[in-house]
Amino acid sequence: MALLKIKDLTVGIKQTGEKILKGISFSLNPSEILGILGESGSGKSLTALSILKLLPPGLSYFKGQVLFEEKNLLELEEREVNKIRGKKISIIFQDPLSSLNPVLTIEEQMEEIFQYHLGIKGKKAKDLMIRTLKEVGIPDPEFRLRNYPHELSGGLRQRVMIAMAIACSPKILIADEPTTALDLTIQMQVLELLKSLNQEKGLSIIFITHDLGILRWFAHRILVFYKGQILEIAPTEKLFKNPLHPYTKLLFNSYPGREELEDLNLWTQERLDQSLCPFYTKCAMACKESLEREPKLREVEPFHFVRCFLYE
Amino acid sequence: MNEEILAEVKGVYKAYKVRTHFFKKISFYALLDVSLKVRKGEVVVLLGESGCGKTTLGKIFLDLEKPDKGDVFWFSYNLKSLDKRLYKEIRPKIQALFQDSFASLNPRFKVKEILSEPYIMNFRGSKKEALEKALEVLCQVGLSEEILERYPHQLSGGQRQRVALARALITQPQLIVLDEPTSALDMTIQSQILTLLKRLKEIKGLSYLLITHSLPTALEMADRIVVMYLGRILESFKKEVFRRIDHHPYTKMLLRAFPDPFSENPPEVSTIKGEPASLLQRKEGCEFYPRCPEADSLCSKERPTLRGNNEYQVSCFKRHFN
Ligand SMILES: Nc1ncnc2c1ncn2[C@@H]1O[C@H](COP(=O)(O)OP(=O)(O)OP(=O)(O)O)[C@@H](O)[C@H]1O
Ligand SMILES: Nc1ncnc2c1ncn2[C@@H]1O[C@H](COP(=O)(O)OP(=O)(O)OP(=O)(O)O)[C@@H](O)[C@H]1O
Ligand SMILES: [Mg+2]
Ligand SMILES: [Mg+2]
């Protein structure tokens, strides 16, 4: 049984009706680490926000369901969603500066969360704060509690966000590029911490990142996003051994030192787009079928799904 | 290599003050006795733990922060004694590109204004000239004319980063400080931008001071790699000797822990030892001593200094030169 199931999630701009997420479906299994990879602007962050009903103003849900504990979160009252957010499902936002309150110290912000979700305050709350900050590798946690967000380096800020997200022992953690500002040793330590929460406490994680190395050694399964659609789904090892979609191949070949990119023609003007395949405009293959119908996400090998005419 | 030095810091210290208990303030050093040169046509990469002072050092190179002690040189002029007129002339030759271009692009300006403003300011050109220039740099970063009419929020992350780069290029800089310029972008765009930076370097002879956490990016781009730790330089080496030298224990730890997506071997996380370092409680001895697998009693008492030659310098008692 899936822990979280997203069905045909379609989100777009309210005024124009333009779709940004075009029918996203996937599930998160208990104790799974699910990686999300994809183009900048393909809707990864928006998917994360949609799950918790945190859509930015101007956008709305057109279709779809987010099923968690037998309820569709999208139909719940704000009051009920609030109880789940931060407690059962918590999220680390992509931009830590904008999601920390600039006029409150770290201690004041953590206090708020603890009081709201755990009902603890005072010394008990403070002990827990210090412990969690230590766990995510923040030196001098007591001192850092008195800092305002702008006084922290990029990496410290990001670790504070991680600490806040795991402090209430959630069931699901959605992490949107949580380690991009961290250096390698701390990044690996934070990942080890998340891995141990995953293994020991069964924490399920949705992990969004552009870092192929992290996904390779951390995620169990990977989704590849492109222009609001999922192009490929596969268990991690399979995906790295045998990427199927031309976009996934391009992504892997873009890794520094792998191949000279000049050949890959990324600079060409996009082809005029009347095609129904999202990758048509940049694809070396550019199948003719794309002009007639939409490629469907198909299981072409066990557990390996791809949306591409080449495999139909 | 041409030995002309574009920018240099010598013996730089920088302290910040922070509150501890209510009204009490303490200060700590974010940079300690750092010296570094960037030569013409050279790419210097700064690697190091988060909070070790990379951005601070970058800002000192850019004169966005003043050091508490030590000197900063631009084209061998000491900034302390540089007169205002000359400063104004040199200033545009050293530019910056930060990770978060969204924050650094004015949201109320269209791209054409974002690009032409610095040109008009620095070269007192006409609007028409500025627009021509804007189009030229836009072209260099692989964007097309229609982008000129857009606002920053109407651009994708990669487009924004290229606009920010175009803005840096319009003043015809010789050195660009790049602070994690691609870490928020996807692989295909990252590699576009890196390819672009390399090409600009070749065509225009640009130099970069590049701050990054990504080892493959560092190796791809660098002529020289500088590893920092707790506000000091631990190691500095030319890229050619990367595979040949016996690295500092900290660098070794970094290399082993690196997750390579296309290797058969998982990263060795267990080699990461000890707590991340604290700027507030500096101990005597080597700064890396508490986490070092090779440390002995000397390391806990005395502090090593940076020794070596032009190819390779290291600050460690356990490394020897012949
Ligand atoms: N408030 C908004 N109004 C209109 N469009 C928006 C809004 N927020 C996001 N978008 C658009 O939705 C698309 C998806 O954005 P999203 O932030 O989910 O991308 P992403 O996959 O997370 O990209 P990145 O890897 O760069 O973080 C983008 O094209 C973006 O321009
Ligand atoms: N304006 C400031 N006020 C107080 N402390 C500061 C300020 N700016 C930086 N610091 C502190 O100085 C130290 C070095 O910060 P810096 O931003 O240079 O680190 P960094 O190496 O760039 O780290 P990261 O990789 O996380 O970006 C950090 O401990 C940081 O908290
Ligand atoms: Mg995002
Ligand atoms: Mg920094």
Side-chain angles (χ1 to χ4, degrees):
Chain A
M1 252 308 272
L3 180 61
L4 179 76
K5 209 170 172 91
I6 312 312
K7 276 190 176 163
D8 199 21
L9 183 66
T10 307
V11 170
I13 300 172
K14 209 181 293 172
Q15 274 203 328
T16 60
E18 186 193 328
K19 289 178 189 167
I20 298 177
L21 299 181
K22 301 164 184 164
I24 299 285
S25 302
F26 66 90
S27 52
L28 174 70
N29 298 316
S31 304
E32 183 179 36
I33 302 178
L34 182 66
I36 301 186
L37 186 64
E39 210 204 7
S40 290
S42 59
K44 303 181 298 297
S45 299
L46 209 53
T47 302
L49 296 173
S50 303
I51 292 173
L52 283 171
K53 284 188 90 171
L54 291 169
L55 281 192
L59 301 186
S60 64
Y61 295 96
F62 294 162
K63 233 175 23 184
Q65 295 179 314
V66 175
L67 301 169
F68 175 67
E69 297 186 336
E70 287 157 42
K71 280 178 238 153
N72 180 0
L73 296 189
L74 303 187
E75 284 167 355
L76 290 188
E77 300 274 333
E78 184 59 19
R79 192 170 40 84
E80 287 172 90
V81 182
N82 259 332
K83 274 191 237 148
I84 294 176
R85 224 183 262 149
K87 177 89 176 33
K88 289 188 170 167
I89 307 181
S90 72
I91 180 162
I92 302 168
F93 294 100
Q94 184 167 3
D95 176 5
L97 197 53
S98 66
S99 42
L100 289 170
N101 188 333
V103 299
L104 295 182
T105 62
I106 303 306
E107 178 165 1
E108 286 161 342
Q109 319 205 16
M110 291 190 90
E111 206 153 43
E112 251 177 48
I113 301 180
F114 285 8
Q115 205 158 357
Y116 185 83
H117 284 305
L118 303 178
I120 59 171
K121 53 182 181 181
K123 179 156 178 354
K124 222 170 149 193
K126 189 149 179 186
D127 287 345
L128 185 57
M129 284 178 212
I130 292 173
R131 206 171 68 221
T132 5
L133 291 182
K134 257 217 176 99
E135 267 179 348
V136 297
I138 293 182
D140 313 304
E142 264 173 276
F143 162 76
R144 292 301 180 186
L145 281 175
R146 297 196 173 79
N147 280 167
Y148 288 92
H150 74 269
E151 293 171 334
L152 303 176
S153 79
L156 282 171
R157 238 179 260 146
Q158 208 140 12
R159 274 176 276 170
V160 167
M161 292 291 301
I162 296 169
M164 287 186 183
I166 60 171
C168 299
S169 315
K171 280 196 169 154
I172 299 176
L173 175 68
I174 302 175
D176 194 353
E177 300 192 26
T179 58
T180 36
L182 303 181
D183 64 278
L184 197 64
T185 60
I186 294 172
Q187 194 170 333
M188 297 317 280
Q189 277 175 325
V190 167
L191 291 177
E192 279 302 289
L193 169 69
L194 293 181
K195 218 181 210 170
S196 72
L197 291 175
N198 167 263
Q199 281 164 0
E200 284 152 30
K201 300 195 178 150
L203 173 71
S204 301
I205 304 175
I206 296 178
F207 200 95
I208 303 174
T209 181
H210 293 302
D211 190 321
L212 296 181
I214 290 180
L215 285 184
R216 170 65 185 89
W217 298 110
F218 183 64
H220 300 130
R221 199 158 58 102
I222 295 174
L223 315 177
V224 181
F225 269 54
Y226 192 83
K227 289 199 180 151
Q229 293 191 327
I230 295 177
L231 296 188
E232 190 161 356
I233 304 179
T236 304
E237 216 157 299
K238 256 192 164 148
L239 191 73
F240 277 87
K241 283 232 171 77
N242 185 23
L244 295 179
H245 200 284
Y247 173 66
T248 316
K249 290 181 185 169
L250 173 69
L251 208 58
F252 287 2
N253 283 334
S254 305
Y255 193 76
R258 291 265 292 178
E259 202 169 301
E260 262 311 312
L261 252 195
E262 308 288 359
D263 311 339
L264 293 168
N265 246 349
L266 280 178
W267 294 96
T268 50
Q269 280 287 323
E270 301 202 346
R271 291 187 196 98
L272 212 57
D273 188 12
Q274 288 133 8
S275 96
L276 295 161
C277 166
F279 193 55
Y280 175 80
T281 54
K282 284 190 181 166
C283 186
M285 310 307 290
C287 309
K288 269 210 221 75
E289 287 100 315
S290 308
L291 300 171
E292 286 144 30
R293 60 193 176 91
E294 201 176 324
K296 292 262 177 312
L297 197 62
R298 276 168 204 271
E299 188 166 11
V300 297
E301 278 170 41
F303 306 109
H304 197 155
F305 298 80
V306 63
R307 185 191 297 281
C308 178
F309 291 118
L310 297 177
Y311 303 94
E312 285 197 352
Chain B
M1 173 167 294
N2 196 328
E3 280 294 295
E4 187 186 339
I5 294 164
L6 296 187
E8 177 173 10
V9 301
K10 261 190 196 160
V12 157
Y13 289 75
K14 176 75 197 173
Y16 285 114
K17 280 196 180 57
V18 250
R19 226 171 351 281
T20 51
H21 297 274
F22 304 99
F23 301 109
K24 210 174 134 204
K25 286 201 165 188
I26 57 163
S27 69
F28 62 89
Y29 280 104
L31 290 178
L32 272 158
D33 195 12
V34 173
S35 301
L36 185 64
K37 294 175 191 151
V38 184
R39 296 174 180 83
K40 189 170 165 50
E42 187 183 37
V43 180
V44 176
V45 170
L46 287 183
L47 277 178
E49 209 159 63
S50 147
C52 72
K54 303 179 297 295
T55 298
T56 307
L57 183 58
K59 283 183 174 165
I60 285 182
F61 263 97
L62 288 161
D63 198 32
L64 296 174
E65 289 274 10
K66 299 260 182 250
D68 297 321
K69 209 173 123 190
D71 296 292
V72 183
F73 298 86
W74 286 354
F75 304 95
S76 47
Y77 295 108
N78 191 331
L79 291 194
K80 277 183 189 150
S81 50
L82 190 59
D83 79 74
K84 266 211 177 111
R85 200 185 45 81
L86 200 53
Y87 180 88
K88 257 194 168 155
E89 207 172 293
I90 302 180
R91 169 80 269 199
K93 302 212 177 299
I94 300 187
Q95 290 290 329
L97 178 65
F98 294 105
Q99 172 177 11
D100 188 3
S101 56
F102 201 45
S104 66
L105 299 177
N106 189 331
R108 288 185 305 266
F109 279 10
K110 286 186 178 169
V111 170
K112 67 175 180 198
E113 289 147 349
I114 290 173
L115 294 181
S116 42
E117 201 205 51
Y119 184 81
I120 293 171
M121 253 182 47
N122 286 303
F123 299 104
R124 297 204 201 85
S126 70
K127 266 208 166 138
K128 186 161 159 288
E129 252 172 52
L131 211 58
E132 271 168 29
K133 260 291 181 220
L135 203 57
E136 189 186 315
V137 285
L138 211 55
C139 198
Q140 284 171 356
V141 300
L143 291 172
S144 55
E145 192 171 352
E146 74 244 20
I147 299 278
L148 285 174
E149 296 297 328
R150 299 221 196 138
Y151 291 96
H153 73 266
Q154 294 170 317
L155 303 171
S156 77
Q159 287 172 333
R160 268 198 307 262
Q161 204 60 342
R162 281 187 267 164
V163 167
L165 179 59
R167 181 183 58 179
L169 290 174
I170 203 163
T171 60
Q172 298 168 355
Q174 301 203 21
L175 170 64
I176 308 183
V177 176
L178 306 156
D179 194 351
E180 300 186 41
T182 60
S183 55
L185 303 170
D186 72 57
M187 268 306 154
T188 60
I189 299 174
Q190 270 188 38
S191 78
Q192 277 179 35
I193 295 205
L194 295 182
T195 310
L196 173 64
L197 287 169
K198 277 197 289 189
R199 196 186 303 161
L200 288 170
K201 178 196 158 191
E202 273 154 34
I203 299 171
K204 304 191 163 217
L206 287 181
S207 307
Y208 305 123
L209 179 65
L210 169 63
I211 298 170
T212 178
H213 288 304
S214 157
L215 208 56
T217 305
L219 290 173
E220 174 90 351
M221 299 293 293
D223 295 309
R224 175 178 290 282
I225 295 180
V226 173
V227 183
M228 289 180 67
Y229 193 78
L230 279 191
R232 289 180 205 273
I233 293 178
L234 283 190
E235 187 175 68
S236 163
F237 54 90
K238 282 197 172 162
K239 213 245 310 274
E240 301 97 87
V241 301
F242 170 71
R243 303 229 167 259
R244 270 190 275 136
I245 53 183
D246 189 11
H247 287 279
H248 189 282
Y250 172 65
T251 315
K252 278 194 170 162
M253 186 164 107
L254 283 181
L255 295 175
R256 283 203 214 100
F258 172 68
D260 183 342
F262 300 106
S263 130
E264 294 291 311
N265 309 318
E268 284 179 45
V269 182
S270 57
T271 57
I272 302 174
K273 214 184 91 174
E275 304 253 314
S278 154
L279 282 168
L280 300 177
Q281 301 151 12
R282 288 183 188 276
K283 308 207 165 64
E284 58 174 8
C286 172
E287 305 272 10
F288 190 59
Y289 156 71
R291 300 173 73 187
C292 184
E294 298 178 38
D296 61 21
S297 61
L298 175 65
C299 307
S300 69
K301 290 191 200 93
E302 270 176 58
R303 173 162 299 142
T305 51
L306 212 54
R307 297 168 298 125
N309 48 41
N310 186 32
E311 277 191 334
Y312 177 43
Q313 292 173 306
V314 64
S315 164
C316 176
F317 292 124
K318 301 278 170 180
R319 298 291 177 269
H320 302 284
F321 293 88
N322 30 16

